[in-house]
Amino acid sequence: MEPVIRVEGGAYPWGVANVDTDVIIPAHWLKTVTRNGLGKRAFETVRAVPGNIFDDPRHTGSPILIAGDNFGCGSSREHAAWALADMGIKAVIAPGFSDIFSGNAFKNGIVTVVLPQAAVDRLLEVAATDPITIDLETMHVTTAFQDRFGFALDPFRRACLMQGLDEIGLTLARDAQISKYEAGVAEHRPWLHREMVNAGTVVESTWRA
Amino acid sequence: MASRPLTLYEKIWAAHVVERRDDGTCLLYIDRHLVHEVTSPQAFAGLRAAGRKVRRPDLTLAVPDHNLPTSARVDAAGRLLPVADAESAAQLDALRRNTADFGIDYIDAAAPEQGIVHVVGPEQGFTLPGTTLVCGDSHTSAHGALGALAFGIGTSEVEHVLATQTLLLTPSKTMEVRVDGTLGFGVSAKDVILAIIGKIGAAGGTGHVIEYTGEVIRALSIEGRLTIANMSIEGGARAGLVAPDETTFAYVAGRPMAPKGADWAQAVDWWRTLGTDPAAAFDKRVMLDATHIAPTLTWGTSPEDVVPITGHVPDPESFADPAKRAAARKSLDYMGLSAGTAMQDVGVDYVFIGSCTNSRIEDLRAAARVAADRHVANGVRALVVPGSGLVKRQAEAEGLDRVFIDAGFEWREPGCSMCLAMNPDKVPPGARCASTSNRNFVGRQGPGARTHLVSPAMAAAAAITGRLTDVRELIGGGVS
Ligand code: SF4
């Protein structure tokens, strides 16, 4: 994943509370084979209303979303994070997030910034016209108007985001330990080895027997 | 110093720890990974995007099941028939392409070994005792029937396992569900697990891994144990286990992907050491006397909403908990039932015999015994969907297909079918279905569909009479 040190730019000044994952990406878009392309479907019901914030040319394409409390509640679908990432969102600022959503967001390189409601309200005001900066080095959200709000992140997640390490990347870095474990298994539980049957060959559409 | 007595779960866990972190989180090695079309495409796309490989293709097996229509798969010339729904077809194609690209064993839609992942794994000997096994599907808990620590995972975790063959996990609590006594006449594993969920509740196992013990579990075949472990997730537990024993070894021996020769002997030696030590402690224990379990079914929209077939639709007002009361009122409204109605007075429109809970040969035999020389009631559509092509062939060799077809059941190709509304087999809005599957959630079998979870014999009985029926009345006897 791309390292995230700073997220800088426009923000959707939305501020709505209790946005559930069904609002972020409706269930009928889940029968898909990629993580990509869901951005077009994100916030479908919100976007059905003319004059909505997501289609407002002043905000379209912004890397930051400012939302209300309890963002991402509801089902655990990872599609919600995929949809935000696909529409170019790199950070969400809110007074609170559902745990599952922030986990999914993190796995997809999206920063979730928790700030007190008063700070969020101020940022909503700024974002109407001006950009916002989220800095993971200093752990502050700043604006061109001397606003400066500190925030916290789980140190592990922060390190992963800043170094562009996804969980898979991190585990891959433990390759030596995994290989050592595998060598032990090969010695002590050799039966776990399995002969492959038709690896990598598409069995053509005929009855095999 | 003697080592601390351990449960089966703790022994399997300990044997798979690659690394333990200070906070207790472990990097756990995964021995077996089953892949199907619905939860894997984004995982493979993720690997591609990051230029990563599948670490152990040999420990991975893919088979399509959820989206596949259960109509004929090939034409007269043996060519695969196209899948009409474009999105389903795309997901199925993606699995075929992804497994080819990443070098993974893949069982094609038209192969006789094809079937529901949770039927195929044990049947092929891919599922083994003492292994860790995962799949992007919550009913992966089924494989615990063979003494494998098996659980469902999300798409990011599917990708993590493909790339690293490990998962980062924190240990669960342990729970013993002990079933003693003897099963009454006409009572099956399905009735036992429904009774267990009725007792512990749909969240009763949350945070726990269940081990099923007791003489009833010991006496069950692997098919029956699979039915029980399968529904662990409906009781809130992430996994369910049955300690491997002679029944397990006899089942696994000789299966195509099972260990052979010296490997086999060594494996069995190790598997014999896995059982929970007599002095080991569980965090939670529940006991049931199976002697009192009647053929059981659900009346509402949660798997904990169970009642004996001789019972009545409960009165929501009889629940002490206001939240339960409100839920029950909503359930009855959705189910189109009124309090106090005898369960046996409730008519059915559909009967589904299938799903990873109840689509193995024993299930089909039990249903066929009831259906033999009878006929499906007027106005009822009844489907029998074998769990795999091999189950289907076995059933055909035993003449069960004739029994079903002569009785007016549809005899279909293997797949998830009417268990979930993802392929063409759906229950229409407002229609009522006696189903051998595992979830009676709102809309699970189709928008507005009404589901009663039952055993295969009970499903067949409902098909014959056109209403929910005490199967004991059809097969005679009262006490065994
Ligand atoms: S049969 Fe039903 S529960 Fe089992 S894997 Fe298929 S959809 Fe899931």
Side-chain angles (χ1 to χ4, degrees):
Chain A
M1 259 187 319
E2 292 284 303
V4 189
I5 314 275
R6 281 149 76 89
V7 182
E8 237 178 326
Y12 296 97
W14 199 29
V16 175
N18 295 314
V19 172
D20 64 47
T21 51
D22 244 302
V23 171
I24 302 173
I25 186 78
H28 52 265
W29 294 114
L30 305 190
K31 225 178 180 184
T32 163
V33 294
T34 64
R35 282 183 170 94
N36 310 327
L38 287 172
K40 291 195 289 291
R41 316 297 181 196
F43 302 110
E44 190 173 60
T45 50
V46 180
R47 284 165 128 164
V49 181
N52 72 82
I53 200 154
F54 296 104
D55 293 321
D56 183 333
R58 287 172 301 172
H59 302 300
T60 302
S62 292
I64 302 170
L65 171 65
I66 307 177
D69 200 10
N70 197 24
F71 185 80
C73 56
S75 103
S76 63
R77 65 187 65 149
E78 203 168 315
H79 300 68
W82 298 342
L84 294 184
D86 190 63
M87 64 186 278
I89 289 178
K90 299 192 159 49
V92 185
I93 300 174
F97 294 88
S98 104
D99 281 346
I100 297 179
F101 174 80
S102 26
N104 285 340
F106 159 70
K107 284 192 178 106
N108 290 277
I110 297 172
V111 189
T112 51
V113 178
V114 180
L115 287 178
Q117 187 68 53
V120 172
D121 288 343
R122 166 66 188 150
L123 291 174
L124 284 169
E125 215 178 314
V126 173
T129 49
D130 287 271
I132 283 173
T133 302
I134 300 165
D135 192 326
L136 292 194
E137 224 145 39
T138 64
M139 294 301 281
H140 276 84
V141 179
T142 54
T143 72
F145 308 98
Q146 263 69 64
D147 298 293
R148 195 172 155 81
F149 304 109
F151 65 97
L153 270 183
D154 173 78
F156 170 73
R157 286 190 180 174
R158 177 175 173 237
C160 288
L161 287 166
M162 292 184 69
Q163 294 166 48
L165 290 174
D166 54 330
E167 270 182 65
I168 295 176
L170 276 180
T171 305
L172 286 173
R174 312 307 292 163
D175 179 64
Q177 286 74 9
I178 300 172
S179 297
K180 192 173 145 219
Y181 176 89
E182 284 175 332
V185 167
E187 190 183 336
H188 301 294
R189 278 177 281 155
W191 68 85
L192 285 173
H193 160 79
R194 194 178 72 83
E195 297 295 336
M196 302 206 43
V197 182
N198 61 0
T201 55
V202 172
V203 183
E204 271 315 327
S205 326
T206 46
W207 290 87
R208 271 200 270 145
Chain B
M1 194 185 80
S3 56
R4 186 171 72 87
L6 297 173
T7 62
L8 167 62
Y9 168 71
E10 291 163 325
K11 290 181 189 181
I12 300 177
W13 181 279
H16 290 86
V17 174
V18 174
E19 271 193 310
R20 189 184 310 272
R21 291 192 187 171
D22 293 341
D23 63 358
T25 308
C26 291
L27 191 63
L28 212 67
Y29 199 80
I30 302 302
D31 295 325
R32 296 288 186 264
H33 185 190
L34 284 161
V35 174
H36 64 87
E37 77 276 23
V38 179
T39 51
S40 66
Q42 287 89 353
F44 285 110
L47 292 182
R48 263 195 203 96
R52 289 172 179 151
K53 293 188 309 209
V54 174
R55 183 181 181 96
R56 294 291 301 267
D58 58 320
L59 303 184
T60 314
L61 178 66
V63 60
D65 55 4
H66 285 64
N67 272 310
L68 272 183
T70 58
S71 46
R73 299 269 155 79
V74 288
D75 64 15
R79 281 184 305 259
L80 202 62
L81 289 162
V83 170
D85 179 74
E87 286 176 308
S88 294
Q91 278 197 332
L92 292 162
D93 282 346
L95 184 66
R96 203 176 284 132
R97 201 179 51 247
N98 287 331
T99 52
D101 287 359
F102 287 90
I104 292 169
D105 267 351
Y106 166 74
I107 300 175
D108 193 48
E113 296 87 353
Q114 182 274 334
I116 306 169
V117 269
H118 310 313
V119 175
V120 171
E123 187 173 75
Q124 290 297 316
F126 184 77
T127 308
L128 296 175
T131 54
T132 46
L133 182 150
V134 298
C135 172
D137 185 282
S138 59
H139 291 98
T140 307
S141 61
H143 306 260
L146 287 101
L149 176 56
F151 48 87
I153 55 176
T155 299
S156 276
E157 291 170 307
V158 169
E159 186 180 338
H160 194 281
V161 175
L162 288 171
T164 70
Q165 206 57 37
T166 63
L167 278 176
L168 260 183
L169 295 164
T170 36
S172 302
K173 295 204 180 86
T174 55
M175 174 171 178
E176 179 184 19
V177 173
R178 186 177 185 88
V179 191
D180 282 320
T182 43
L183 287 189
F185 176 77
V187 178
S188 71
K190 183 63 163 288
D191 303 298
V192 174
I193 188 61
L194 286 172
I196 290 172
I197 296 165
K199 180 164 171 138
I200 67 173
T206 305
H208 291 75
V209 165
I210 296 177
E211 181 176 345
Y212 299 96
T213 65
E215 53 197 17
V216 166
I217 305 296
R218 284 284 138 240
L220 282 177
S221 64
I222 294 299
E223 281 86 348
R225 294 176 190 182
L226 282 160
T227 301
I228 297 216
N230 178 274
M231 289 188 72
S232 302
I233 187 81
E234 306 319 327
R238 199 168 186 197
L241 285 161
V242 177
D245 59 9
E246 297 309 320
T247 307
T248 320
F249 308 147
Y251 176 91
V252 177
R255 299 210 169 246
M257 297 180 187
K260 309 269 179 320
D263 274 354
W264 172 257
Q266 202 183 346
V268 173
D269 281 347
W270 190 65
W271 295 341
R272 285 191 206 282
T273 67
L274 291 178
T276 292
D277 296 326
F282 289 93
D283 295 305
K284 200 167 167 182
R285 302 181 99 124
V286 176
M287 315 268 244
L288 256 86
D289 185 350
T291 317
H292 305 301
I293 300 175
T296 300
L297 75 169
T298 57
W299 54 265
T301 52
S302 162
E304 71 180 24
D305 297 340
V306 302
V307 61
I309 183 62
T310 49
H312 297 79
V313 177
D315 182 351
E317 306 316 315
S318 69
F319 292 98
D321 176 5
K324 281 236 159 97
R325 225 161 25 230
R329 273 191 224 114
K330 235 173 119 183
S331 267
L332 290 195
D333 186 47
Y334 179 83
M335 293 296 291
L337 294 171
S338 35
T341 308
M343 290 312 294
Q344 300 201 61
D345 288 344
V346 176
V348 301
D349 313 295
Y350 278 73
V351 168
F352 171 53
I353 298 174
S355 89
C356 57
T357 316
N358 281 125
S359 62
R360 286 165 286 266
I361 191 67
E362 250 183 36
D363 302 315
L364 302 190
R365 286 181 192 141
R369 247 189 319 272
V370 178
D373 303 321
R374 294 193 167 102
H375 205 276
V376 172
N378 273 340
V380 173
R381 183 176 170 208
L383 275 67
V384 184
V385 186
S388 73
L390 295 180
V391 170
K392 184 167 189 260
R393 289 181 166 202
Q394 173 70 26
E396 285 167 354
E398 296 177 18
L400 304 186
D401 58 324
R402 287 312 328 161
V403 171
F404 287 122
I405 292 164
D406 291 348
F409 289 79
E410 296 174 30
W411 179 245
R412 305 187 65 91
E413 296 298 323
C416 293
S417 184
M418 213 175 249
C419 174
L420 90 170
M422 201 159 194
N423 57 69
D425 301 343
K426 291 185 183 64
V427 177
R432 187 178 303 283
C433 181
S435 175
T436 66
S437 55
N438 45 40
R439 279 193 175 148
N440 53 342
F441 296 169
V442 167
R444 170 75 178 184
Q445 293 191 288
R450 295 161 169 164
T451 304
H452 294 274
L453 301 178
V454 293
S455 74
M458 287 279 286
I464 300 301
T465 62
R467 55 179 175 80
L468 299 172
T469 298
D470 190 340
V471 64
R472 294 173 295 193
E473 286 166 16
L474 289 191
I475 49 181
V479 222
S480 58

